[in-house]
Amino acid sequence: MKKVLITGATSGIGEALCLHYQALNYVVIACGRQQDKLAKLAAYDNVSTIAVDLCDEQQVMTQFAQLGRLDLVILNAGSCEYIDDVKNFDGQLFARVMNTNLIGTGYCLAALLPQIPAGGQLALVGSSASFLPFSRAQAYGASKAAIAYLARTLALDLKSQNIDVSLVSPGFVKTPLTDKNDFSMPMQISAQQAAVEIVSGLEKRVFDIHFPKKFTLILKALSLLPDRWWCAISTRMLSK
Ligand SMILES: NC(=O)c1ccc[n+]([C@@H]2O[C@H](COP(=O)([O-])OP(=O)(O)OC[C@H]3O[C@@H](n4cnc5c(N)ncnc54)[C@H](OP(=O)(O)O)[C@@H]3O)[C@@H](O)[C@H]2O)c1
């Protein structure tokens, strides 16, 4: 049986991935902080759980030590907070988001990469938000742009180790993270649909897993425009 470790498995996309891989007969290691959610996941066959705060390096190194061969590692945990008043830039908010989305990912890589064998796979969950600059997304977008760069460079350097890396860039997915949003979210899909897309992309060992395609391809096309064009489009959309 193949073994998959998933961070952020207590909610949203991570939880849907956990249940999907469990149904596919994987041995699943589900990670998160919420003990009650972890206990519910642990009730499933072949699911074990690890309670860990990914912003705590010591906890990550201890809890993720000696898990044995990990065929697939999905670093999915993340948080989103917006900068509402850019002139009074909230440095603590920025640090919080960066710590969870980027620095925590670095701790996970330090602990888990040695346990991924040749032929194994690593997936980093970024966001289609990193394709273009979006209003109020200075912290979240910067953290996800960094994840995209990290994934690209890991893919380069892990090729010789025969470890495939994937970058997952979802559009809007209905989860507790997006339930907090106060703006319209076009082409939003369910966490289960997102899990199907991710599992299918990982099965094919695709590097750039993005969905829903209608949405992400439009963003990718817009990202090719000169910055000032996007700025004008974005400003017009915000004024409506
Ligand atoms: N939903 C979307 O539309 C969307 C779009 C693009 C990208 N994404 C990305 O997809 C990933 C999953 O998002 P989601 O929408 O499923 O969010 P979610 O429902 O809020 O789940 C976030 C998960 O991350 C975990 N987490 C957060 N901080 C943590 C920490 N310090 N230590 C350990 N675990 C932590 C949470 O676990 P605990 O609460 O148990 O700690 C939870 O399981 C994120 O990286 C997000 O940026 C989401």
Side-chain angles (χ1 to χ4, degrees):
M1 284 166 92
K2 284 193 168 179
K3 200 196 288 179
V4 57
L5 180 144
I6 303 165
T7 67
T10 52
S11 174
I13 297 170
E15 184 179 8
L17 280 171
C18 178
L19 298 180
H20 200 111
Y21 277 112
Q22 191 274 341
L24 289 175
N25 273 329
Y26 273 65
V27 170
V28 181
I29 305 176
C31 312
R33 290 171 302 183
Q34 299 174 66
Q35 298 280 2
D36 53 332
K37 294 284 194 77
L38 290 173
K40 279 187 189 156
L41 291 172
Y44 286 88
D45 285 343
N46 298 323
V47 178
S48 62
T49 59
I50 296 179
V52 60
D53 180 349
L54 300 179
C55 296
D56 183 329
E57 182 182 16
Q58 197 55 52
Q59 265 190 47
V60 173
M61 295 313 283
T62 309
Q63 297 291 71
F64 285 169
Q66 294 175 350
L67 298 173
R69 177 196 170 93
L70 296 170
D71 301 288
L72 172 59
V73 168
I74 305 178
L75 301 181
N76 157 78
S79 69
C80 180
E81 293 183 71
Y82 293 109
I83 303 268
D84 288 327
D85 181 359
V86 74
K87 199 76 193 306
N88 291 306
F89 198 89
D90 186 338
Q92 290 187 348
L93 179 159
F94 190 79
R96 263 196 314 274
V97 173
M98 281 296 184
N99 275 333
T100 306
N101 294 357
L102 183 63
I103 306 301
T105 300
Y107 297 151
C108 290
L109 291 172
L112 297 171
L113 266 179
Q115 302 179 71
I116 305 179
Q121 282 181 268
L122 169 70
L124 302 193
V125 178
S127 171
S128 57
S130 70
F131 297 173
L132 281 163
F134 287 99
S135 171
R136 301 191 296 145
Q138 287 82 7
Y140 184 70
S143 74
K144 293 301 186 179
I147 288 291
Y149 192 91
L150 181 60
R152 289 194 178 98
T153 50
L154 286 166
L156 275 184
D157 287 333
L158 290 170
K159 196 81 204 157
S160 60
Q161 313 273 325
N162 196 20
I163 294 172
D164 285 324
V165 178
S166 295
L167 170 64
V168 179
S169 306
F172 290 114
V173 182
K174 184 166 171 40
T175 68
L177 183 144
T178 47
D179 284 346
K180 290 184 289 188
N181 287 346
D182 56 1
F183 49 84
S184 79
M185 291 176 276
M187 300 184 217
Q188 193 180 45
I189 61 171
S190 70
Q192 290 72 26
Q193 287 172 301
V196 168
E197 295 278 359
I198 295 169
V199 172
S200 153
L202 289 175
E203 258 170 26
K204 295 177 200 134
R205 293 183 176 251
V206 172
F207 171 76
D208 188 12
I209 301 172
H210 59 96
F211 55 84
K213 286 279 185 314
K214 264 189 200 162
F215 181 71
T216 50
L217 287 175
I218 290 171
L219 291 190
K220 278 177 183 267
L222 288 170
S223 75
L224 300 174
L225 295 175
D227 278 350
R228 64 179 191 287
W229 289 22
W230 170 246
C231 189
I233 294 168
S234 177
T235 309
R236 192 184 297 175
M237 281 181 347
L238 285 172
S239 65
K240 279 187 182 166

